[in-house]
Amino acid sequence: MAGLYDEGFTERLRQGALSLRHEWGLGPDADVRLLTLSENATFLASDPGRAPIILRVHRPAYHTLAEIESELAWIETLRASGAIDTPAPLTLASGGHVAQFSDGNDTRHVVGFAFMPGDEPSAGESLAPGFELLGAISARLHRQAQGWQPPQGFTRKTWDFDSAFGAQPLWGDWRAALGLDDEGRAVLETLCDVLKRKLDDYGKGADRFGLVHADLRLANLLQDGDKLGVIDFDDCGFSWFIYDFAAAISFYETEPYIPALQAAWLKGYRTIAPLDAEHEAMIPSFVMFRRLLLTAWIASHAETQTAADAGHGAYTAGTVALAKAYLQAEA
């Protein structure tokens, strides 16, 4: 990989994770290998005679220790309630859930999770039954979040218009998008104006805004027979509940089967909780919100494999085309 994510970088993180193996009871013969690298680095740790575990090495200067611990607190609550199937955070030998090692001038936090079997679902029309399951999962998540009193000190980021597109956007400025020309910039400026107005009108009432997973895309789902597990709560935070559907179709927003997936998601959701027409009507706006947010992420993480897979400038062009169609439909 180019840029920051070269082999030396990933090996340094692997060695850092390996140096902490005793915290999860791994022996000297444990093998640690890279699974994925996007924002965080995720490793599979295997040790003869025991089940494998997942180690997540956090990027620095993004989540605080309190934010990471808050994520794990919600996961444990969700597991206890039976709302979803998600891997358990693992307790360290020294106590707590978050280990750390020094990486130059940075401190890297590391979290261990139990291994969950399953495969990432494949994109396509055959996803519809899975999206019905995902709709029900989303509704259970939202219902649990609405009735849960977080512990003192609970803190997670907020995914709203200001944090996404304001003066200090969490994932960077979409105006730096790769291949964006003056015409495309004008379209996306208009999109921002429309999104802000619609989101302000929609509001943040308790029936529509709360704690969400915020990244239920295919890469964070594990299909095992008729079961659908959810992983990677790293982006969980406070946002609109419908945003979880928009995140679920990340990088596939223009595919012709999206309406079928939306219908399946809504059907599944409504088996658990009501969702009236006002919320359903906001789905296209949240799809554009997520698409523009990802366009900013790709621009600020151009060296990652995720950005390369998305097509860099081609993804920007697709965002502009999708925005034009959205604005025409909203006119």
Side-chain angles (χ1 to χ4, degrees):
M1 300 177 98
L4 173 65
Y5 298 102
D6 59 21
E7 289 185 6
F9 173 80
T10 56
E11 177 59 19
R12 196 169 73 241
L13 298 187
R14 192 186 77 84
Q15 288 295 334
L18 191 60
S19 72
L20 297 167
R21 59 183 177 269
H22 62 281
E23 289 284 15
W24 295 282
L26 299 171
D29 295 328
D31 176 63
V32 175
R33 64 179 179 86
L34 184 70
L35 281 181
T36 61
L37 181 62
S38 182
E39 291 270 17
N40 304 320
T42 304
F43 296 90
L44 177 68
S46 303
D47 197 12
R50 61 166 290 173
I53 65 172
I54 301 297
L55 300 179
R56 186 177 69 191
V57 180
H58 282 258
R59 60 200 178 280
Y62 185 62
H63 287 314
T64 65
L65 177 58
E67 287 176 324
I68 297 170
E69 290 175 335
S70 296
E71 171 203 349
L72 302 180
W74 192 35
I75 290 173
E76 290 190 316
T77 300
L78 287 168
R79 285 177 49 81
S81 71
I84 62 168
D85 191 12
T86 192
L90 301 178
T91 302
L92 306 176
S94 58
H97 293 95
V98 186
Q100 64 183 45
F101 66 86
S102 295
D103 177 28
N105 294 325
D106 295 319
T107 296
R108 296 278 183 168
H109 296 300
V110 188
V111 177
F113 293 94
F115 179 81
M116 174 176 280
D119 299 299
E120 176 183 336
S122 299
E125 293 182 27
S126 61
L127 272 175
F131 260 64
E132 188 171 337
L133 284 175
L134 185 59
I137 289 169
S138 301
R140 287 196 295 270
L141 277 169
H142 302 161
R143 187 173 64 180
Q144 187 277 338
Q146 286 175 296
W148 182 51
Q149 181 61 49
Q152 186 175 2
F154 186 92
T155 177
R156 292 296 300 176
K157 288 177 170 55
T158 296
W159 298 101
D160 61 9
F161 186 89
D162 184 62
S163 67
F165 312 123
Q168 295 182 304
L170 288 172
W171 281 356
D173 190 348
W174 62 262
R175 295 167 186 82
L178 305 174
L180 185 64
D181 58 19
D182 289 343
E183 179 188 0
R185 178 182 174 121
V187 171
L188 297 185
E189 291 284 8
T190 301
L191 172 66
C192 274
D193 291 341
V194 172
L195 286 178
K196 187 174 190 316
R197 174 178 55 81
K198 290 183 74 69
L199 293 174
D200 285 347
D201 290 345
Y202 186 56
K204 296 180 178 179
D207 66 330
R208 62 198 64 192
F209 194 93
L211 192 55
V212 300
H213 182 281
D215 199 19
L216 287 172
R217 59 194 178 98
L218 299 185
N220 293 330
L221 304 176
L222 288 175
Q223 191 163 19
D224 185 22
D226 59 356
K227 297 180 180 179
L228 190 64
V230 176
I231 60 174
D232 195 358
F233 280 70
D234 183 55
D235 287 318
C236 73
F238 298 95
S239 190
W240 293 276
F241 294 131
I242 294 297
Y243 177 65
D244 268 341
F245 170 78
I249 60 169
S250 294
F251 303 113
Y252 300 99
E253 305 93 339
T254 60
E255 294 292 340
Y257 51 78
I258 293 301
L261 299 188
Q262 178 177 319
W265 188 88
L266 289 169
K267 180 181 178 182
Y269 197 104
R270 287 172 171 143
T271 64
I272 303 298
L275 193 70
D276 65 29
E278 178 192 12
H279 305 308
E280 183 176 346
M282 285 295 293
I283 288 177
S285 296
F286 285 114
V287 169
M288 284 311 316
F289 179 101
R290 173 70 171 185
R291 177 80 187 209
L292 190 59
L293 185 59
L294 286 176
T295 303
W297 187 92
I298 288 169
S300 60
H301 296 73
E303 72 276 20
T304 64
Q305 190 61 47
T306 303
D309 292 343
H312 293 127
Y315 192 79
T316 301
T319 301
V320 173
L322 200 62
K324 287 179 177 178
Y326 168 82
L327 292 171
Q328 185 175 17
E330 294 295 323

